[in-house]
Amino acid sequence: MSSPLSAASGLRLSRPDWLSSPKVFRTEVLAGLVVALALIPEAISFSIIAGVDPSVGLFASFTMAVVISVVGGRKAMISAATGAVALVIAPLNHQYGLPYLVAAVVLAGVFQVALGALGVARLMRFVPRSVMVGFVNALAVLIFMAQVPELRNVPWAVYPLVAAGLTLMVLFPKVTKVVPAPLVSIVVLTVITVAAGIAVPTVGDKGALPSSLPVPGLPDVPFTLETLKIIAPYALAMALVGLMESMMTAKLVDDLTDTRSGKTREAIGQGIANIVTGFFGGMGGCAMIGQTMINVKVSGARTRLSTFLAGAFLMVLCIVFGPVVSDIPMAALVAVMVMVSFATFDWHSVAPRTLRRMPLGETIVMVTTVAVVVATHNLAIGVVVGSVTAMVIFAKRVAHLAEVSGVVDPDGNQVVYAVTGELFFASSNDLVHRFAYREDPDDVVIDLSGAHIWDASSVAALDAIETRYAQRGKKVTIVGLNEPSAEMHEKLAGRFAGSH
């Protein structure tokens, strides 16, 4: 029997998908725990990059994960404090201090809500597949590179521990998949190091864990136009970088799980999560590809519960089990992240067989994206450069698809030129030079029934052709325009005198 409220409102309350079976619930809970453990050293490291206390990064990861699990548009995706955001806001913190950083995080959230409402998430459809592959591969490289410092100038025992962790994660799933292999690896290596008294770097060496929950409050900055001028550029940069990384990660999870996500809802949700994070004194963040891969690909999570629990467990681990968590060897987490980097990399994309079959332009775009991301350590810059490279290659390829063939009547009084293909700025540039202005008879017909006019550049090219014939006393008749092309030609023709 439905409640009066649900009957009156016409709403049907559906059962959460994580309650569909005990197996799903167990998977989500354990996945959340694994991600929480992996978030701790990452959040502390990103706090160091931003120049803030470790608790600022940990609070951000807690609030981002919890809020986005409710308002986000992509199930099972993990949002927390990230290196990309830390790099953007670090200069602001170094110059003006934490209160201005927190204010910038709140403003970045406002920008993200506005951009999401304006539909900026729809631009993701213009990101080519080769850029997506490059993004994924670059991310795998960055995840691996981030582990290298943890393997330098360390006690020799770190190396066998990492090797043991990797071996456990490879072999344990063959025994059972009930418990995530990364969790088993972390627990086993922690027990070994503590029981044997092996002196290796631990999570506690990264920084002190918080001992209480964050308290909400307004940023301690003057609410003046001068403050806005200081924080606005950083807030806008953070908003754009955060949205791009989140949208790319959401698209990746869509492909992995063969499901669709609400990109606009995700963009707005990221903004809400950053606003809340700012009011709780966090450093802000966005979707995390590494932790998302642990959650979705390694642990098999598919619902919002794992995202919520990742944030909730993070605070519980820090506040209640702080001493235990501090004893986790970094070698265990390094092993988890190395496994994630190998699982994330699209090995098929670099297989010799694939490279032989793939068009050279696609491979160039993929390699360019990887190179730029690895060089700048900025995923947003790599995606933009990769997309622009893909557009240039595409325009160059399509520019040659416009063909012109002329046939002169037997009596020699008229010539008919058949133009076929797509006419736009790249292809229309050569169009003007494809006609025999001097030799042609006085009556010239240009048949565009096999072509389509896409932009003003094409109309300008047709104007230039008519002008050149007119200078020689010859008449041009354009026929065969489809309806959209005719509409554009009628609107713009004759307005580009002297443009060619």
Side-chain angles (χ1 to χ4, degrees), residues 263-495:
K263 302 297 189 301
T264 297
R265 177 178 172 178
E266 181 61 38
I268 295 172
Q270 288 288 331
I272 295 171
N274 272 307
I275 291 170
V276 172
T277 296
F279 285 133
F280 274 92
M283 60 182 274
C286 62
M288 294 190 80
I289 185 72
Q291 273 65 22
T292 298
M293 287 298 99
I294 292 175
N295 198 44
V296 175
K297 198 165 186 178
V298 179
S299 301
R302 293 291 183 272
T303 78
R304 296 179 184 275
L305 181 63
S306 58
T307 307
F308 175 84
L309 290 178
F313 282 151
L314 176 65
M315 280 295 100
V316 172
L317 288 169
C318 290
I319 295 170
V320 181
F321 299 103
V324 176
V325 172
S326 295
D327 286 336
I328 294 174
M330 284 303 299
L333 297 170
V334 167
V336 170
M337 296 312 290
V338 168
M339 182 61 76
V340 169
S341 73
F342 274 88
T344 302
F345 197 91
D346 186 350
W347 296 101
H348 175 72
S349 67
V350 295
R353 187 177 175 185
T354 305
L355 294 174
R356 281 196 301 269
R357 294 183 176 183
M358 192 69 66
L360 180 60
E362 301 275 312
T363 303
I364 290 173
V365 170
M366 188 265 286
V367 172
T368 299
T369 305
V370 173
V372 173
V373 171
V374 172
T376 62
H377 284 239
N378 190 315
L379 294 162
I381 293 176
V383 170
V384 170
V385 172
S387 297
V388 170
T389 304
M391 290 175 193
V392 170
I393 291 173
F394 173 76
K396 189 175 180 183
R397 185 186 305 157
V398 176
H400 300 297
L401 297 181
E403 297 293 336
V404 179
S405 58
V407 178
V408 181
D409 275 0
D411 58 11
N413 294 327
Q414 186 187 66
V415 60
V416 178
Y417 282 98
V419 180
T420 58
E422 308 300 320
L423 300 181
F424 67 113
F425 63 90
S427 60
S428 60
N429 284 335
D430 294 332
L431 198 63
V432 181
H433 309 292
R434 309 283 285 277
F435 296 83
Y437 301 99
R438 189 177 286 106
E439 296 82 8
D440 282 344
D442 292 345
D443 189 5
V444 180
V445 176
I446 301 177
D447 182 2
L448 294 173
S449 56
H452 186 99
I453 297 174
W454 287 103
D455 60 6
S457 297
S458 304
V459 178
L462 293 172
D463 280 359
I465 293 166
E466 291 188 73
T467 301
R468 292 194 181 193
Y469 276 116
Q471 289 169 349
R472 293 167 174 81
K474 301 176 183 182
K475 180 190 173 186
V476 175
T477 305
I478 296 175
V479 299
L481 288 167
N482 59 34
E483 191 174 335
S485 299
E487 192 176 319
M488 180 171 287
H489 186 262
E490 184 180 349
K491 191 185 299 181
L492 300 176
R495 298 180 183 273

Side-chain angles (χ1 to χ4, degrees), residues 13-33:
L13 300 177
S14 59
R15 194 181 189 190
D17 44 9
W18 44 269
L19 281 178
S20 59
S21 75
K23 181 182 177 183
V24 171
F25 182 76
R26 182 178 65 241
T27 299
E28 299 298 312
V29 171
L30 293 174
L33 180 57

Side-chain angles (χ1 to χ4, degrees), residues 115-161:
L115 289 168
L118 290 171
V120 74
R122 296 192 194 98
L123 295 176
M124 282 306 299
R125 75 181 79 171
F126 297 109
V127 177
R129 182 188 175 280
S130 50
V131 174
M132 270 298 298
V133 174
F135 168 82
V136 170
N137 289 348
L139 215 39
V141 173
L142 288 184
I143 292 171
F144 183 83
M145 288 173 61
Q147 311 315 309
V148 174
E150 304 295 340
L151 300 172
R152 286 180 183 156
N153 303 317
V154 292
W156 68 268
V158 168
Y159 304 109
L161 284 172

